[in-house]
Amino acid sequence: MISSGQNRLVAFGIVLHALLVYALFDVHFTSPLVHGIEPVTAAFAGPASRLVVIVADGLRADRLFELEDRNGRETGAQRGEMVPRAPFLHRIARESGRWGVSHARPPTESRPGHVALLAGFWEDPSAITKGWQANAVEFDHLLNQSSAAWAIGAPSVVPLFSKGIPHVRSRMYAEELEDFAASSNHAALDEWVFDRAIEVLVGNVTEDEQRAGATLETERSALEGDKVVFLLHLLGLDSAGHAHKPSGERYAENIRVVDAGVRRLAAAFEERFGPEDGGTAFLFTADHGMSNRGAHGDGDPGCTETPFVAWGAGIASTASRPAVEIACVPRGKDAPTPEAEWGLKDEERCDIEQADVASLGASLLGIPPPIHNSGVLPVSYLSPRRSDLRSGAAVSNAAQLLSVYRRKSAITAESSLTAYLSPSGLQAYKPLALAEDRLRDAVSARQSGHHNDAIDMAQRLARECLDGITYLHLYDRWLLMGTITACFLAWIVFLGSKLVLEQLDTTARDQGNGIDADKVHSMVAFVAAGGGLGLFWVWGG
C-alpha cells in the first residue's frame, strides 16, 4: 500500500520536474531583445531614394549562380553552349553590381530569414511559441523606418512587416494559393508579385487603399519621396523545391522565371523614374535555401547558403573593388568558388552574414540601422567613390551596436542574479572599457577626412560590441547551469538515499533497532545540492 509520504514524494517530483522544464524554456526561449535602446542618428546622406528588397523564398546560391546548357540541362551533361541559368542577375554580378553568398543560420525558415534581412538580428527564440508565424516581441526594421513602403507577396510573410504600420502598404494573394502540390504552377505566384509591384509604379491604387484614404496623388507623392522601401516576397521557388526538389527541372525553370521578373521590374523602375535618376538600389537574396531532399529548417549548407546580388544607387561594382578585401573571404560548401560551374570569379565574390543586410539597406537610404540590429555593415558593398558614405555608415553601425550594449548592460546589472551575488556587481566586458572614447575617435577621424581610418576603427568597435552583447546575454549561464545541475543531483541522491535507507531501516527494525531515514537522506540531499552548486560556482567563476 502506498503511504502518504510516498504520495507527497511523487507530487514533489512532478512539481520539481515541471519547474526544471519551465526553467529550460525560460533560459533558451526568452527574447534576447531589449527595449529602451537610445536611438542613433545617421550623419551622412544616403545615395538611394528607394530600396527594393527582393527575397526569393527557398533559393539556393549554387542553383542560381551555376551555368546550364542552352537547352536548360545541368552542367554535368556537357552538351551545348553553357549559359547562366539566371542571365540578368548573372550579368549584374559580373559587371555592374556586387555578389556573394549570404549565410543564414538555423532555424532556416521564412520568418527568421526575413527578420534577419530586414531587422538585422537572428531569430527571437520566443517566436517558436507562435510557430515562427507572428511577432512575439515587437522590433524595428527597414520598412518601419521608411517614409513609405510597399510589401508584396505571401500572406504568411507580408503581415509580419506591415501590420499596424500606417505608411506600409501591403498586397497579398489569397492563402489558398500557397499550394505545395506538385501539379501547381508555382512560378505564377512570383509573376503575380512582379505584376503587382509594376502596378504600383504605374499608379494603381487598390480599393482597400482607397478606403483607407489613399488617392492617386498621395500615392504618387509617397512613391517619389525619399527613404522608400519595396519588399517583394517570392514564394514560388520554395513551393517548387518542396514539390520537385532543388535539383529538379521545375525548380530550375522557376529560377528563370524569377530572373526574367527581376529584369522586368528593374526596367519598370527605370521607366518610371527615368534613366538618369540613379536613385534606386536593388538587393536580391533569399531567406533560406533548401536541402537536396527538398526540406529546410536545419543547418544543412544547402539551407544556409543563399545568393546575394546588389546593384544600383550607392552599390560598388565588381570592376571598382579593391585588389584585396579581407572581409569578403568566401566560405561554405562552395568555397572557393567553382568558377567553371558558375562562370564567376572567386576574387570578385564577397560573402556576408544574412543579418548584415539590414545595415547595408539602411546605409543606402541614409538612415541608421534598425534599433535591434546585430549585423556588421558589409562596407565592401558600398561604392568606393563614396568614402564619406562608407565611413558615415560604419560609424553609425558602431554607434547603434554600442547603444544596444549600453542598454543590455544596464538591464543585466539590474536583473542578473550573478551580478547581485557578486560583491563587485556586474563585471563589464573589458574590451569595451574605452568604447565611448573609441567611438569619438572614429567620428573625429571621419570629420578630418581620414575615412579609411574611421572605417577600420568603427568596424573593430562594432564587432567587439557584438561580442560584448553575447557576453551579457550569457552572463548568468554558470549560475543557471549550476542551479539546475544541483537540483538534478539532489533529486537523484534524495531518491537513492531514500531507497537505500528504507531498506536499511527495514533490516534494522527486524533486528529490533531503527534509524531516522527521513533525516538522514534529507541531509544527504542537502549536502549533494550544496556541493553541486558550489562546484559549478567555482568552475564558472
Side-chain angles (χ1 to χ4, degrees):
M1 181 176 179
I2 300 176
S3 66
S4 60
Q6 290 173 323
N7 285 331
R8 289 196 299 270
L9 180 65
V10 171
F12 177 76
I14 292 174
V15 171
L16 175 65
H17 282 81
L19 179 63
L20 292 174
V21 171
Y22 171 79
L24 172 70
F25 281 89
D26 187 57
V27 171
H28 293 285
F29 297 101
T30 298
S31 174
L33 300 185
V34 294
H35 294 281
I37 300 170
E38 183 181 353
V40 300
T41 58
F44 61 94
S49 298
R50 62 205 72 89
L51 175 69
V52 183
V53 182
I54 307 168
V55 184
D57 200 315
L59 177 57
R60 289 172 53 142
D62 54 356
R63 295 292 284 163
L64 176 76
F65 291 132
E66 68 188 5
L67 304 176
E68 63 182 8
D69 71 27
R70 191 169 290 279
N71 296 324
R73 300 184 180 88
E74 295 300 318
T75 302
Q78 297 298 317
R79 297 178 59 186
E81 180 186 0
M82 305 306 293
V83 297
R85 175 171 293 124
F88 178 76
L89 289 169
H90 208 273
R91 180 176 60 80
I92 290 292
R94 291 195 318 269
E95 300 175 4
S96 56
R98 293 228 61 180
W99 70 280
V101 173
S102 171
H103 295 267
R105 294 183 186 177
T108 45
E109 299 289 347
S110 292
R111 181 191 186 281
H114 281 82
V115 168
L117 291 168
L118 299 171
F121 65 88
W122 304 109
E123 179 55 82
D124 180 354
S126 65
I128 194 174
T129 60
K130 298 189 177 183
W132 310 122
Q133 297 298 313
N135 298 337
V137 177
E138 293 304 315
F139 56 87
D140 190 25
H141 50 80
L142 291 178
L143 278 72
N144 185 48
Q145 290 199 21
S146 67
S147 64
W150 282 263
I152 308 172
S156 58
V157 170
V158 167
L160 299 175
F161 303 96
S162 62
K163 187 176 180 180
I165 306 177
H167 65 266
V168 180
R169 293 85 163 159
S170 62
R171 300 192 181 189
M172 302 171 286
Y173 41 75
E175 288 187 12
E176 54 268 21
L177 294 179
E178 294 186 272
D179 187 3
F180 296 94
S183 59
S184 300
N185 180 11
H186 307 293
L189 297 178
D190 299 338
E191 292 177 322
W192 184 94
V193 172
F194 288 120
D195 289 342
R196 300 294 83 75
I198 293 173
E199 285 179 359
V200 172
L201 295 176
V202 299
N204 174 273
V205 182
T206 66
E207 293 182 0
D208 289 340
E209 291 168 347
Q210 290 176 357
R211 283 193 290 269
T215 65
L216 209 58
E217 290 72 23
T218 60
E219 296 306 280
R220 180 185 299 112
S221 176
L223 185 63
E224 294 176 351
D226 289 328
K227 301 177 177 58
V228 175
V229 176
F230 277 78
L231 169 63
L232 277 64
H233 171 242
L234 310 176
L235 184 63
L237 281 160
D238 186 68
S239 303
H242 286 308
H244 305 285
K245 308 293 187 295
S247 59
E249 174 56 27
R250 293 284 292 274
Y251 188 87
E253 177 57 32
N254 208 139
I255 292 176
R256 300 183 196 110
V257 170
V258 167
D259 182 72
V262 174
R263 180 177 63 247
R264 190 158 58 96
L265 180 71
F269 268 92
E270 183 174 333
E271 181 179 352
R272 171 64 180 78
F273 296 100
E276 304 301 323
D277 172 70
T280 307
F282 294 88
L283 304 178
F284 178 90
T285 186
D287 52 354
H288 59 78
M290 191 164 291
S291 67
N292 293 331
R293 53 191 174 86
H296 57 83
D298 59 9
D300 184 276
C303 299
T304 60
E305 296 181 16
T306 64
F308 186 72
V309 183
W311 71 100
I315 297 293
S317 66
T318 299
S320 66
R321 64 178 178 79
V324 179
E325 293 177 298
I326 298 176
C328 287
V329 176
R331 59 190 185 277
K333 71 179 181 64
D334 291 309
T337 304
E339 298 184 5
E341 290 78 11
W342 289 13
L344 297 168
K345 296 180 180 180
D346 187 68
E347 62 266 22
E348 296 174 352
R349 172 175 164 179
C350 188
D351 284 13
I352 62 172
E353 293 291 333
Q354 191 176 59
D356 298 343
V357 174
S359 58
L360 175 62
S363 67
L364 295 170
L365 292 172
I367 58 178
I371 290 177
H372 303 104
N373 170 70
S374 62
V376 177
L377 174 70
V379 175
S380 299
Y381 275 85
L382 296 176
S383 173
R385 291 191 294 269
R386 289 289 308 274
S387 55
D388 60 323
L389 167 65
R390 284 187 160 198
S391 62
V395 169
S396 178
N397 181 214
Q400 175 265 323
L401 290 173
L402 182 56
S403 184
V404 175
Y405 173 79
R406 287 196 211 101
R407 182 57 181 160
K408 187 85 171 177
S409 182
I411 291 176
T412 305
E414 294 174 357
S415 61
S416 169
L417 184 58
T418 304
Y420 175 77
L421 296 175
S422 174
S424 57
L426 178 71
Q427 299 296 315
Y429 187 60
K430 292 181 180 178
L432 292 177
L434 301 176
E436 303 292 343
D437 293 337
R438 293 169 60 188
L439 180 61
R440 282 193 292 269
D441 290 342
V443 172
S444 177
R446 179 175 184 269
Q447 293 174 343
S448 301
H450 302 299
H451 297 290
N452 290 335
D453 292 340
I455 293 170
D456 291 340
M457 288 187 284
Q459 297 249 285
R460 282 197 299 270
L461 178 58
R463 292 188 176 90
E464 289 178 3
C465 285
L466 286 181
D467 294 338
I469 293 168
T470 302
Y471 164 80
L472 294 172
H473 186 62
L474 301 176
Y475 197 76
D476 279 331
R477 59 179 172 176
W478 294 113
L479 179 59
L480 293 170
M481 288 172 60
T483 302
I484 294 173
T485 303
C487 286
F488 272 115
L489 288 175
W491 178 245
I492 293 170
V493 172
F494 182 85
L495 289 180
S497 64
K498 185 173 181 63
L499 292 173
V500 172
L501 293 174
E502 282 184 351
Q503 182 62 40
L504 293 175
D505 186 50
T506 301
T507 303
R509 289 182 190 279
D510 291 342
Q511 296 174 355
N513 300 314
I515 59 175
D516 193 340
D518 289 337
K519 288 185 178 179
V520 174
H521 72 247
S522 294
M523 181 176 66
V524 172
F526 178 80
V527 171
L533 183 58
L535 176 63
F536 273 92
W537 185 270
V538 173
W539 185 21

